[in-house]
Amino acid sequence: MRISPVHGAGVAWFKCPACRLKCRPTAVSPDGQCPRCGEERMLKLSFGGRATASDSGRS
């Protein structure tokens, strides 16, 4: 069983500008329409990753 991450760097989400539904790319129909309202244009959300102690630049 594969568990997909729900937050963090590298997680893709889409948002519908019409009904404001946020969903994963697997929920979007093959032609790219919103699964709730059928809007043709889905916006891709990008979440910036948080800096950890190892990559924050501290020595």
Side-chain angles (χ1 to χ4, degrees):
M1 180 171 140
R2 182 175 179 205
I3 300 172
S4 60
V6 292
H7 53 77
V11 176
W13 285 91
F14 285 99
K15 181 177 180 181
C16 177
C19 69
R20 297 184 180 172
L21 174 73
K22 292 178 189 160
C23 62
R24 301 285 297 200
T26 54
V28 177
S29 65
D31 54 353
Q33 293 182 341
C34 175
R36 181 188 288 168
C37 69
E39 174 72 27
E40 295 180 5
R41 185 178 53 117
M42 295 289 285
L43 304 173
K44 185 174 183 179
L45 301 176
S46 63
F47 299 103
R50 295 180 184 165
T52 59
S54 63
D55 60 11
S56 63
R58 295 184 200 173
S59 295

